[in-house]
Amino acid sequence: MTATRSWLRERSELGICALLVALGVLVLTDALRIPTDFAQRGPVGPKAVPILVGSLLLVVAVLLARDVLRGGRGEAEGGEDVDLTEPADWRTVLLLCGAFLANAALIGVVGFPISGAILFWGAAYALGSRAFVRDPLIAAGLSILTFVVFNNLLGVPLPGGPLMEVF
Amino acid sequence: MEQLLNGFATALTPTHLLFAAIGVLLGTAIGVLPGIGPAMAVALLLPVTYGMEPTGAFIMFAGIYYGGMFGGSTTSILLNTPGESAAVVTAFEGNPMARKGRGAQALAAAAIGHFAGGIIGTILIVLLAPFVAKHAVDIGAPDLFAIMVLAFIAVTSVLGASRIRGVASLLIGLTLGLVGLDDMTGQQRLTFGSLHLADGIDVVVVAVALFAVGEALWVAAHLRRKPFEPIPVGRPWLSRADLKRTWKPWLRGPAIGFPFGAIPAGGAEIPTFLSYVTEKRLSKNKDDWGKGAIEGVAGPESTASASAAGTLVTMLTLGLPTTATAAVMLAAFQQYGIQPGPLLFQREAGLVWALIASLFIGLTLLLVLNLPLAPLWAKLLRIPRPYLYAGILFFASVGAYAVNADIFDLLLMFVIGLLGFAMRRYGLPVLPAIIGVILGPAAEQQMRRSLQLSDGSLTGLVNSPMAVIVYVVVLLIVFFPLLKRFVPSPTPPAAPTPERHKIDA
């Protein structure tokens, strides 16, 4: 059991192959359902390119799987703030995703100045910042400033929400 | 020439000058921030211009573009971690210089090199672009399709360690580009009946998701708990002896950088390395190399800047982005309903020449502002990482939401951001995906148009000399690895390849 798991862990890149297969099947099935009997102009209809792309996705998935099984490994991206010697910190990633989705869920309800501040504070908290006075102040300041600059100066509307109706 | 003067007249109005200055400052500030390269800088700053008229917006973009390129070299020199691919080589000599207390000179050599390369490159744009555009008007659909195929192949083959992973990334991009109504028949493709998807996936959302969200999540998973300490630095200046060593590299840079920028060969990465090798060979102070030779900063920086100018020629005249930054700029043009390509110089002459004029102005502003501001920029390197990446996610959300004021775009960005995370984890390069999203639909249209003309016969794709030549080049790139296996190379392998640092887009 553990042998299978560690075998899979070693070759987790096969997940990318699975993703490519799924995409390929999706593109192909979608392409085959496009009706071509009407509205087609020229010899090549709207189906041709999706069928080509879908097939290539399947081919590349197979080639990539072969590469992985033969010991090929995609090189994880390094970076100035990236420490690849440590294992991935999934807690941080999940918290970050939560902060991002909270903004998406709340922006229509409470408006950008509040949801944006929650996003910033939440993300900073997820990434390890624990200044419980400074963080929310920076978040609120940044969020309100961005709202005013975009909404009032640059002419890019953002939802103000109930907070901004007071003014 | 007259058009260029008109361009200056447009670009030198107080409002436009202000836009150029803001663009340069924002671009440098964002470019200096560790983890953010020029492509992400441009993508994140795109929403700032949504409410502007196109000319002002592009004048600002020109500033952001050059500012972002310049900002990357500061990170290279003071942190030894390049903020973007063009600045990788700068770290080789620039960081040793900074550690020896010559950071100020390294920054000055970079800033002036940037200015020199940029000005020479922009002069070449003025001379070449109208000429290329005039001849490109005559090239037909089969030629354009061939060039796009070349771009696809080049971007998957030249960059990155693994070709198959490059192709996988390209196909993911092409798939995203398929979503929406088919341009020629209005048929729905991959929309699954969703009205949100019928207009297609906005390129800005894809770019911000892959560059910014994917990057923030990836860094979050592996955040270095103790960031590197930047080296403190004073105001940049050069002594007479330094000037004597740097003026020739500054002038040689564009000769290498400009042509490489114009072709789809991965932007500034290759030419900056070539410039480094050239300067090393020509240098009289060979002992300094590796310990902080100022020529090794001056040459590559000038080269990088000129290559950015070369990129613009191809982008403006053929509508073909050769770097990630150019791809995002192309998306910006499309936001305004403007299609870069051979006709741009006829249809939008005022806009194009104002843009070119503002490149000169932006470069000058960059030099004037950045020499005195360098110590301030260096302080940005100390920004607490939680704030930096929280800020990236924050502005990514603003950008994606502002495109259509639609929460759906935020969710889409999240999903594509997760994809960007997976791509970073498994070494799939991001650039091919972006090129696929942007060029995919255009390539499909050109192909179908060619086949329409030839009545469905595949010979319609190769019925012009130019298309044939381009396909020969494509085949050479594809089969080059095979050829290498059969033909023993007479020369020993050239200089060792540079250590592959992490490269921000």
Side-chain angles (χ1 to χ4, degrees):
Chain A
M1 191 59 203
T2 45
T4 334
R5 278 186 68 177
S6 74
W7 189 90
L8 275 177
R9 185 178 290 260
E10 266 292 285
R11 291 161 188 78
S12 58
E13 199 175 353
L14 290 173
I16 292 282
C17 303
L19 180 77
L20 293 174
V21 169
L23 266 184
V25 170
L26 194 70
V27 173
L28 283 177
T29 48
D30 182 76
L32 292 174
R33 113 202 117 82
I34 299 174
T36 40
D37 42 333
F38 74 105
Q40 176 164 339
R41 285 173 24 215
V44 185
K47 274 183 175 186
V49 172
I51 288 179
L52 181 72
V53 171
S55 318
L56 283 175
L57 276 167
L58 296 181
V59 172
V60 167
V62 171
L63 289 177
L64 186 60
R66 194 184 69 159
D67 185 68
V68 173
L69 292 177
R70 284 181 177 180
R73 291 288 177 273
E75 197 184 332
E77 202 177 76
E80 46 220 292
D81 291 333
V82 172
D83 184 1
L84 288 175
T85 52
E86 299 277 321
D89 177 2
W90 293 109
R91 190 173 159 267
T92 304
V93 176
L94 285 177
L95 279 172
L96 213 53
C97 292
F100 187 92
L101 291 174
N103 173 51
L106 291 174
I107 192 168
V109 188
V110 299
F112 178 78
I114 295 176
S115 70
I118 292 174
L119 164 63
F120 187 89
W121 187 17
Y125 179 89
L127 289 159
S129 184
R130 292 289 182 275
F132 287 106
V133 179
R134 195 176 62 169
D135 290 355
L137 279 180
I138 291 181
L142 180 72
S143 196
I144 292 170
L145 185 74
T146 308
F147 177 79
V148 171
V149 168
F150 274 83
N151 204 53
N152 302 1
L153 289 180
L154 294 167
V156 181
L158 291 170
L163 186 67
M164 288 295 140
E165 271 159 30
V166 181
F167 297 102
Chain B
M1 198 62 214
E2 198 193 318
Q3 283 172 313
L4 180 63
L5 289 178
N6 284 337
F8 270 108
T10 315
L12 281 172
T13 56
T15 339
H16 286 159
L17 262 180
L18 183 69
F19 285 156
I22 295 175
V24 165
L25 288 176
L26 273 178
T28 315
I30 304 279
V32 167
L33 288 175
I36 304 187
M40 203 208 284
V42 176
L44 283 176
L45 290 170
L46 215 53
V48 174
T49 60
Y50 284 165
M52 290 183 188
E53 38 91 35
T55 314
F58 282 103
I59 286 176
M60 197 154 150
F61 265 134
I64 293 173
Y65 186 37
Y66 277 128
M69 297 276 295
F70 173 79
S73 62
T74 307
T75 333
S76 259
I77 293 168
L78 299 182
L79 266 184
N80 197 25
T81 51
E84 37 118 2
S85 61
V88 170
V89 174
T90 307
F92 296 170
E93 299 299 325
N95 188 253
M97 278 183 78
R99 267 186 273 138
K100 273 166 57 183
R102 282 175 38 90
Q105 284 81 355
L107 285 181
I112 302 173
H114 219 82
F115 176 76
I119 290 287
I120 296 173
T122 312
I123 291 174
L124 289 173
I125 298 184
V126 173
L127 299 176
L128 282 176
F131 176 78
V132 176
K134 208 169 111 198
H135 288 268
V137 171
D138 297 331
I139 67 178
D143 309 308
L144 280 174
F145 178 66
I147 294 174
M148 288 172 187
V149 171
L150 173 65
F152 290 149
I153 299 295
V155 84
T156 50
S157 303
V158 177
L159 290 170
S162 161
R163 208 184 259 217
I164 188 76
R165 289 172 179 82
V167 177
S169 166
L170 175 70
L171 287 171
I172 291 173
L174 288 176
T175 307
L176 291 175
L178 280 175
V179 175
L181 298 182
D182 172 36
D183 278 344
M184 291 174 106
T185 63
Q187 295 277 2
Q188 303 213 358
R189 293 197 297 199
L190 292 172
T191 61
F192 311 107
S194 157
L195 274 180
H196 295 290
L197 288 173
D199 288 338
I201 299 177
D202 201 284
V203 177
V204 176
V205 174
V206 180
V208 175
L210 285 180
F211 287 131
V213 181
E215 176 78 10
L217 293 177
W218 175 238
V219 173
H222 294 278
L223 188 62
R224 196 183 291 282
R225 293 298 161 188
K226 276 186 78 177
F228 294 121
E229 270 300 296
I231 301 162
V233 73
R235 195 184 157 154
W237 59 279
L238 286 177
S239 67
R240 192 174 289 264
D242 289 326
L243 272 178
K244 236 175 124 180
R245 287 174 62 177
T246 46
W247 72 273
K248 279 187 196 153
W250 284 334
L251 293 182
R252 274 193 290 261
I256 304 171
F258 189 83
F260 269 95
I263 57 171
E269 203 172 336
I270 298 171
T272 45
F273 185 64
L274 283 179
S275 162
Y276 179 83
V277 175
T278 313
E279 294 309 333
K280 192 173 179 181
R281 197 160 292 164
L282 294 174
S283 169
K284 289 196 191 87
N285 312 294
K286 288 221 168 43
D287 295 342
D288 274 3
W289 287 79
K291 293 175 231 149
I294 196 164
E295 296 94 329
V297 176
E301 277 303 304
S302 169
T303 305
S305 184
S307 111
T311 303
L312 285 179
V313 173
T314 319
M315 207 267 284
L316 292 173
T317 58
L318 296 176
L320 199 73
T322 55
T323 62
T325 321
V328 181
M329 294 255 291
L330 190 70
F333 273 96
Q334 287 168 347
Q335 283 282 316
Y336 286 99
I338 300 168
Q339 183 58 51
L343 294 174
L344 185 70
F345 279 75
Q346 294 171 15
R347 286 190 191 150
E348 302 280 351
L351 174 87
V352 176
W353 287 104
L355 174 67
I356 294 175
S358 67
L359 293 177
F360 286 109
I361 296 167
L363 282 164
T364 314
L365 284 175
L366 204 54
L367 188 68
V368 174
L369 292 175
N370 280 340
L371 287 183
L373 286 179
L376 186 72
W377 295 139
K379 287 214 175 70
L380 281 178
L381 296 175
R382 296 173 180 278
I383 184 172
R385 296 309 186 262
Y387 292 160
L388 174 64
Y389 292 99
I392 290 177
L393 279 182
F394 177 86
F395 283 106
S397 302
V398 173
Y401 184 82
V403 181
N404 300 314
D406 191 348
I407 294 169
F408 181 79
D409 280 336
L410 285 177
L411 299 176
L412 200 59
M413 183 164 83
F414 182 69
V415 174
I416 302 176
L418 289 181
L419 192 66
F421 176 86
M423 289 169 72
R424 283 179 172 78
R425 166 67 184 82
Y426 293 109
L428 267 61
V430 173
L431 180 60
I434 292 283
I435 297 276
V437 178
I438 291 181
L439 280 188
E444 178 182 7
Q445 229 181 0
Q446 299 300 347
M447 182 197 73
R448 281 161 73 178
R449 211 171 276 163
S450 324
L451 290 175
Q452 221 165 18
L453 294 174
S454 71
D455 224 7
S457 158
L458 282 175
T459 54
L461 292 178
V462 288
N463 61 4
S464 83
M466 180 166 166
V468 174
I469 294 171
V470 175
Y471 284 121
V472 170
V473 175
V474 168
L475 289 179
L476 279 179
I477 297 178
V478 171
F479 290 107
F480 183 68
L482 285 180
L483 283 177
K484 244 187 354 196
R485 212 176 293 167
F486 291 116
V487 186
S489 61
T491 47
T497 43
E499 187 192 341
R500 286 195 83 85
H501 288 266
K502 133 81 187 242
I503 288 152
D504 288 331

